[in-house]
Amino acid sequence: MSGGGLFLRAAAAARACRALAAFTTSQRSLRTSPRSRGFAKELFLGTIEKKEVFPFPEVDQEELNEINQFMGPVEKFFTEDVDSRKIDQEGEIPKETLEKLKSLGLFGMQVPEEYGGLGLSNTMYARLGEIIALDASITVTLAAHQSIGLKGIIIAGNEEQKTKYLPRLASGEHIAAFCLTEPASGSDAASIRTRATLSEDKKHYILNGSKIWITNGGLADIFTVFAKTQIVDSNNLIKDKITAFIVERNFGGVTNGKPEDKLGIRGSNTCEVHFENTKVPVENVLGEVGGGFKVAMNILNSGRFSMGSSVAGMLKKLIEMTAEYACTRKQFNKNLSEFGLIQEKFALMAQKAYVMESMAYLTAGLLDRPGLPDCSVEAAIVKVFSSEAAWQCVSEALQILGGLGYMRDYPYERLLRDARILLIFEGTNEILRMYIALTGLQYAGRILTSRINEIKQGNVSTIVETVGRRLRDSLSRTVDLGLTGKLGVVHPSLEDSANKLEENVYYFGRTVETLLLRFGKTIVEEQMVMKRVANILINLYSMTAVLSRASRSIRIGLRNHDHEVLLANIFCVEAYHQNLFTLSQLDKYSPENLDEKIKKVAQQVLEKRTYICAHPLDRTS
């Protein structure tokens, strides 16, 4: 084992001793308040649960020192030994590179220490993710192994399963893959056709089916596989339900196709995986029979937050490379860096990196609290924002390089190709926007049901109260949700931005109530409405994260905290005005709402399955 790997494992052992002394086993306590209610969900009610996100989560000095020491050998390896261009060109990660990753302990970052892993907190995992992100193919390989491949064993496995499988997965002796997607089921996971049939002796399930686009599919020894099984429900009716299984390649009947020829992340192994009469012991059911869909969603929901720190790590390096070019390349007797439109691009990249980094570490801090906090909405927000920002920022960086950026001699075109997948995997951004909106609307609906029913039934007092509140709102009432002032949690230099956040949150809550009253349960069919709801929430959580982080930076005197204030204020002002416009579009009679016209255009195009306008050179005679 390398020196770096020995250090990582020694540090892990030391953490285990401290954890035992502190009467805790798996999570470090962060200096934040105990979790009560989901922060993002409360925003749908027009309220800000301050204690959830203020102050910004911190780690103690001892853990911070460990994080920084972890970074040394990992960063050295990625800087000196990883040849990303070669990995991209040859379409695979060299075996010696994989072995080094294993010796560094990177295949077991979040595997608990008692099973041979490093047992990193979500915060430490996010920090290491910034360095690993310097190569996208390696990032995806490691993420597919532990964020989804083996994660089901950690969160749903029993003690026997954990003891049997996790040690060799943590060491990298075995590699894991997550098998959900099929030819006929992409985002619609419930429509999978792979089937597991219980044998007559009830000792095995016989697994048959095919999975596509499986990362690590050709490398993996252990697969988390989802298949339809028959169950008898409470009414004694036989139904098909999804069940999760731990499948070993050596069970037999497991084969894989050739690696896919992909646009980006070309060094990661992606292929079809086939199961033909594979005998899976009943002991290898993961979770409950018929409970596989929940297992799959819990696995996917738990890992999305880390995309924020990974993309931020990539963007920091991108800014560094691009700034060096802009400050030395001359045009019209001036450096590129002196031109306003180039400066605008750097401000955008810095802002996006700051926002996603703030959200990622805020969410990691929430996840690191004791218990089992539900941060699925926050994690989905981080994924959507970070993936779209990555695509935008890499494109802007390439634009700064001009023709050079388009050439394969430079890394920009590779980064652009690698970034495109981020909007697709771990849940497409379209599906995640529906998830973000629907989860929050359902939460608000459960709480507001009685009030909405009273309005529909003509309850006079409730109607009068509602009309009075809307009248006060129309007169531009002052909104105070406690972020500023004597008992405020936001630093005075960010007061204006905090006030904008409070106003947005308050009117978002009023709009949510109106939407639930207007659409009821049918709102799930209103995807353009749901998209706008999600976009507002993404901005609200982003604004909260940067205000919390910047306030902490000012109060403890971090270097360049004035730069953070600039970034936070710029973002909050822009997000505030975006939210105002989007809120106006959600009004039923808003002239800004073009949904029906947009639907009509789409229907006409799709009916003919072509662009239907006449050519501009056509004549009628």
Side-chain angles (χ1 to χ4, degrees):
M1 181 180 292
S2 71
L6 287 171
F7 170 77
L8 292 175
R9 298 197 184 284
R15 288 200 312 280
C17 292
R18 290 199 306 276
L20 182 62
F23 297 99
T24 182
T25 56
S26 62
Q27 300 288 349
R28 297 165 187 77
S29 59
L30 298 171
R31 291 202 296 273
T32 48
S33 304
R35 184 170 179 79
S36 54
R37 292 177 287 186
F39 176 79
K41 292 177 184 177
E42 289 292 316
L43 293 173
F44 281 82
L45 299 174
T47 60
I48 297 175
E49 289 291 317
K50 294 184 296 182
K51 64 180 182 296
E52 296 291 310
V53 292
F54 292 95
F56 196 78
E58 291 185 345
V59 295
D60 60 36
Q61 188 61 49
E62 193 170 12
E63 184 178 3
L64 183 61
N65 292 339
E66 284 181 16
I67 293 174
N68 291 334
Q69 287 178 301
F70 276 5
M71 300 295 292
V74 176
E75 190 164 16
K76 183 176 185 294
F77 170 64
F78 274 85
T79 302
E80 298 178 3
D81 297 337
V82 174
D83 188 342
S84 295
R85 184 180 179 187
K86 179 181 178 183
I87 290 173
D88 179 69
Q89 290 176 338
E90 297 185 357
E92 65 177 353
I93 301 170
K95 290 183 179 179
E96 57 269 25
T97 301
L98 287 172
E99 291 304 314
K100 182 67 174 180
L101 293 170
K102 295 173 184 179
S103 71
L104 285 169
L106 298 181
F107 275 80
M109 286 186 279
Q110 285 201 295
V111 174
E113 294 154 355
E114 59 265 36
Y115 303 108
L118 298 179
L120 301 186
S121 66
N122 290 288
T123 300
M124 294 180 74
Y125 178 62
R127 184 68 182 96
L128 271 182
E130 290 187 46
I131 301 303
I132 296 168
L134 295 178
D135 185 276
S137 293
I138 292 176
T139 300
V140 170
T141 299
L142 291 175
H145 170 74
Q146 55 199 334
S147 290
I148 54 178
L150 63 79
K151 195 62 170 282
I153 301 175
I154 293 176
I155 64 177
N158 57 41
E159 186 57 37
E160 290 75 19
Q161 291 168 341
K162 292 177 181 178
T163 302
K164 180 177 180 180
Y165 290 110
L166 289 180
R168 282 183 288 184
L169 288 167
S171 68
E173 179 183 346
H174 284 172
I175 294 176
F178 179 85
C179 297
L180 177 62
T181 305
E182 298 183 4
S185 64
S187 297
D188 183 9
S191 67
I192 63 172
R193 296 178 182 176
T194 296
R195 179 164 292 279
T197 305
L198 189 61
S199 63
E200 290 186 6
D201 62 8
K202 300 188 185 308
K203 292 183 178 180
H204 294 85
Y205 281 90
I206 309 302
L207 183 65
N208 284 282
S210 295
K211 303 290 184 177
I212 62 170
W213 304 326
I214 305 305
T215 303
N216 295 347
L219 307 176
D221 309 279
I222 307 297
F223 303 85
T224 299
V225 183
F226 298 87
K228 287 285 182 67
T229 54
Q230 284 191 343
I231 67 161
V232 179
D233 67 11
S234 56
N235 297 318
N236 288 322
L237 297 175
I238 296 176
K239 290 186 175 181
D240 277 347
K241 300 279 282 186
I242 296 174
T243 298
F245 297 91
I246 304 170
V247 180
E248 300 178 25
R249 186 180 286 273
N250 63 17
F251 283 168
V254 181
T255 58
N256 58 267
K258 66 178 183 179
E260 300 286 358
D261 188 11
K262 306 188 295 293
L263 172 71
I265 54 170
R266 293 178 58 82
S268 63
N269 180 279
T270 308
C271 63
E272 295 183 7
V273 178
H274 309 284
F275 304 95
E276 184 176 356
N277 294 324
T278 301
K279 294 178 67 175
V280 183
V282 293
E283 294 82 14
N284 279 43
V285 169
L286 190 56
E288 298 179 355
V289 174
F293 185 80
K294 182 178 180 181
V295 172
M297 294 305 102
N298 286 340
I299 290 170
L300 292 169
N301 288 340
S302 66
R304 291 188 178 114
F305 82 94
S306 62
M307 189 178 290
S309 60
S310 296
V311 173
M314 182 271 288
L315 286 186
K316 290 176 188 178
K317 185 66 175 178
L318 184 71
I319 291 170
E320 183 181 312
M321 294 189 304
T322 313
E324 180 65 27
Y325 177 83
C327 291
T328 55
R329 170 71 168 170
K330 285 188 177 292
Q331 291 287 282
F332 307 105
N333 295 318
K334 296 170 68 176
N335 289 331
L336 286 184
S337 58
E338 298 178 60
F339 292 96
L341 293 183
I342 300 299
Q343 294 170 352
E344 183 182 40
K345 296 181 189 300
F346 281 101
L348 172 73
M349 290 190 284
Q351 180 200 108
K352 295 291 187 183
Y354 184 73
V355 175
M356 70 178 69
E357 187 178 51
S358 301
M359 281 198 292
Y361 283 97
L362 176 59
T363 307
L366 293 175
L367 286 166
D368 279 334
R369 292 181 178 182
L372 297 170
D374 177 13
C375 297
S376 59
V377 174
E378 289 86 346
I381 288 172
V382 175
K383 190 274 184 184
V384 172
F385 183 94
S386 302
S387 59
E388 293 176 357
W391 178 246
Q392 182 182 13
C393 290
V394 175
S395 180
E396 293 286 16
L398 190 151
Q399 189 72 12
I400 293 170
L401 270 287
L404 289 178
Y406 204 71
M407 300 299 126
R408 287 187 180 271
D409 289 339
Y410 294 83
Y412 297 89
E413 62 84 28
R414 184 185 75 245
L415 292 172
L416 190 70
R417 288 187 285 108
D418 288 341
R420 188 59 186 86
I421 191 61
L422 300 178
L423 290 80
I424 299 173
F425 70 3
E426 292 196 30
T428 68
N429 285 8
E430 289 76 17
I431 290 293
L432 288 182
R433 279 189 165 88
M434 296 304 102
Y435 173 78
I436 291 166
L438 184 59
T439 303
L441 288 168
Q442 288 176 332
Y443 177 78
R446 287 193 293 269
I447 294 173
L448 298 173
T449 294
S450 60
R451 178 183 178 83
I452 290 171
N453 288 339
E454 287 174 3
I455 294 174
K456 287 182 176 180
Q457 293 165 7
N459 185 294
V460 176
S461 62
T462 304
I463 292 173
V464 169
E465 178 191 346
T466 302
V467 171
R469 188 174 61 190
R470 291 182 179 176
L471 180 60
R472 291 192 298 274
D473 291 347
S474 69
L475 298 174
S476 300
R477 62 172 288 170
T478 300
V479 178
D480 182 4
L481 300 182
L483 293 184
T484 59
K486 288 185 178 180
L487 300 177
V489 290
V490 174
H491 191 271
S493 61
L494 298 157
E495 182 175 353
D496 184 61
S497 292
N499 292 338
K500 285 179 165 57
L501 171 60
E502 290 177 320
E503 182 186 328
N504 275 172
V505 169
Y506 175 81
Y507 288 108
F508 178 60
R510 303 287 72 76
T511 299
V512 165
E513 185 175 334
T514 300
L515 291 174
L516 291 171
L517 182 61
R518 177 174 151 201
F519 292 108
K521 293 181 179 179
T522 65
I523 196 168
V524 70
E525 304 297 332
E526 301 293 332
Q527 290 200 345
M528 293 184 187
V529 171
M530 300 266 280
K531 176 185 175 182
R532 293 190 182 98
V533 169
N535 285 344
I536 293 171
L537 192 72
I538 290 168
N539 274 341
L540 296 180
Y541 188 54
S542 303
M543 294 167 78
T544 302
V546 298
L547 289 173
S548 179
R549 177 184 174 184
S551 293
R552 170 187 176 270
S553 297
I554 298 167
R555 290 193 171 110
I556 68 173
L558 284 185
R559 60 182 176 84
N560 297 326
H561 61 256
D562 54 336
H563 185 70
E564 292 191 42
V565 172
L566 271 175
L567 291 171
N569 281 331
I570 290 171
F571 177 78
C572 287
V573 170
E574 291 179 348
Y576 168 78
H577 288 291
Q578 289 170 6
N579 287 341
L580 290 183
F581 180 71
T582 307
L583 286 167
S584 72
Q585 287 182 307
L586 288 170
D587 189 288
K588 185 175 183 180
Y589 302 106
S590 168
E592 293 89 357
N593 189 319
L594 303 175
D595 287 358
E596 293 308 313
K597 294 178 180 178
I598 290 170
K599 290 177 183 177
K600 188 173 182 179
V601 169
Q603 288 165 357
Q604 291 172 349
V605 170
L606 292 170
E607 182 180 351
K608 301 294 184 181
R609 300 191 182 187
T610 188
Y611 174 72
I612 67 174
C613 295
H615 192 279
L617 298 182
D618 285 355
R619 295 171 59 96
T620 57
S621 60

